[in-house]
Amino acid sequence: MTEPVRLSKRMSELGLCSRREADEWIERGWVRVDGIIVSELGSKVLPHQRITVERQAAAQQAKRVTVLINKPVGYVSGQAEDGYKPAVTLITADTRWKEDRAPTEFHPSQLRSLVPAGRLDIDSVGLLVLTQDGRIAKQLIGDDTSIEKEYLVRVQYSKPGRLPDADLKRLNHGLSLDGKKLLPAKVRWLNDDQLSFVLREGKKRQIRRMCEAVGLKVLGLKRVRIGRVMLGDLPPGQWRYLRPDEQF
């Protein structure tokens, strides 16, 4: 017999919302199980039971914004640390990209519950996603995500000559970090000192540690793509909204 699971967990598994959103909707009486409103937190359901949400929940979710920033060096992705500012402090009316064509109007209330969906190191630059939408966060950083992230990486080889082809193959599929084998990557030379990395995971300082393992020193790292969403011409330190027609 299948074990019951928490309603909020099941809603997240179905891609309806994040667990936090689910708990909020349950408390507000916006969730039905087999047509009956369930408003008690911690309620459990069986996998075959039908879960629906009221229109108010969908309307609230539609108002949630997702922001794309071209993060410069010196900003942390999440909470402030060691005196460094978080990337969310870059989001003001003045720093919105003038060419942003999204119809959304900026309001400071959008900064509430705006969290990074993935991270960029303090000394890395490029595309960073901040979102209020639990579905997007789960899509980008959930355990089962398969969304590619592409980086341009400027490197310096610590030995004479060029990186051997065998080591390039190891970067593609053959390295382990912290005792765990990495997922296959797509790594190729763009020119004499720049590599393209395409990853489907994001361990802490992963690219820098991968490069160290084959004798490469990273001089610069820039994320240029997450799934189908490109950094494009977004200037450093500026931001824009994810448009309704864009999907990762």
Side-chain angles (χ1 to χ4, degrees):
M1 183 168 167
T2 308
E3 289 291 315
V5 297
R6 282 181 72 110
L7 175 55
S8 57
K9 183 181 181 201
R10 182 63 179 148
M11 290 172 68
S12 174
E13 289 172 350
L14 291 170
L16 295 170
C17 57
S18 68
R19 286 201 200 187
R20 186 167 50 89
E21 284 174 317
D23 283 339
E24 182 185 328
W25 295 356
I26 290 165
E27 281 189 309
R28 293 189 177 196
W30 291 352
V31 179
R32 293 176 184 263
V33 178
D34 292 336
I36 299 168
I37 290 175
V38 175
S39 57
E40 186 177 333
L41 289 179
S43 298
K44 296 193 172 184
V45 293
L46 291 165
H48 69 268
Q49 291 186 280
R50 183 166 175 263
I51 301 168
T52 55
V53 296
E54 303 293 287
R55 279 180 305 187
Q56 300 98 305
Q60 186 192 68
Q61 205 167 44
K63 291 178 187 170
R64 303 221 154 144
V65 299
T66 296
V67 166
L68 312 175
I69 299 180
N70 186 346
K71 186 188 90 66
V73 168
Y75 286 83
V76 291
S77 299
Q79 299 292 321
E81 53 186 74
D82 299 329
Y84 293 107
K85 290 182 178 179
V88 71
T89 60
L90 291 166
I91 303 173
T92 67
D94 293 337
T95 53
R96 183 177 181 180
W97 189 29
K98 297 293 184 279
E99 294 185 33
D100 185 2
R101 296 288 174 260
T104 312
E105 291 286 324
F106 174 72
H107 192 275
S109 64
Q110 293 164 355
L111 301 177
R112 287 200 295 269
S113 308
L114 198 61
V115 295
R119 51 174 288 133
L120 265 181
D121 296 328
I122 191 165
D123 42 6
S124 300
V125 303
L127 184 56
L128 180 67
V129 178
L130 295 165
T131 187
Q132 294 177 318
D133 192 331
R135 295 168 303 174
I136 287 178
K138 184 173 187 290
Q139 190 181 44
L140 297 187
I141 57 175
D143 292 337
D144 56 352
T145 183
S146 60
I147 289 181
E148 291 184 341
K149 299 167 182 76
E150 183 177 356
Y151 304 81
L152 303 183
V153 187
R154 196 166 296 284
V155 294
Q156 185 178 55
Y157 193 39
S158 60
K159 301 172 187 175
R162 278 179 62 86
L163 181 77
D165 287 344
D167 282 340
L168 184 64
K169 285 179 181 173
R170 285 178 64 210
L171 287 173
N172 278 274
H173 42 77
L175 290 178
S176 298
L177 289 181
D178 305 322
K180 190 173 179 183
K181 195 167 175 60
L182 295 173
L183 294 176
K186 297 175 191 169
V187 185
R188 61 187 175 90
W189 286 105
L190 296 174
N191 52 48
D192 287 346
D193 67 348
Q194 194 171 51
L195 287 161
S196 164
F197 273 73
V198 178
L199 306 180
R200 287 185 293 120
E201 59 189 335
K203 298 186 183 300
K204 191 170 183 180
R205 299 184 77 79
Q206 178 173 339
I207 291 176
R208 294 174 193 277
R209 294 170 69 195
M210 288 173 73
C211 286
E212 282 171 15
V214 296
L216 290 171
K217 181 183 179 183
V218 172
L219 304 178
L221 191 154
K222 180 180 187 178
R223 184 157 61 201
V224 294
R225 177 173 67 87
I226 298 177
R228 292 196 292 259
V229 175
M230 308 288 294
L231 177 65
D233 296 327
L234 183 61
Q238 295 187 27
W239 63 275
R240 69 175 180 87
Y241 290 107
L242 183 74
R243 298 191 311 268
D245 64 313
E246 286 183 301
Q247 287 192 327
F248 290 100

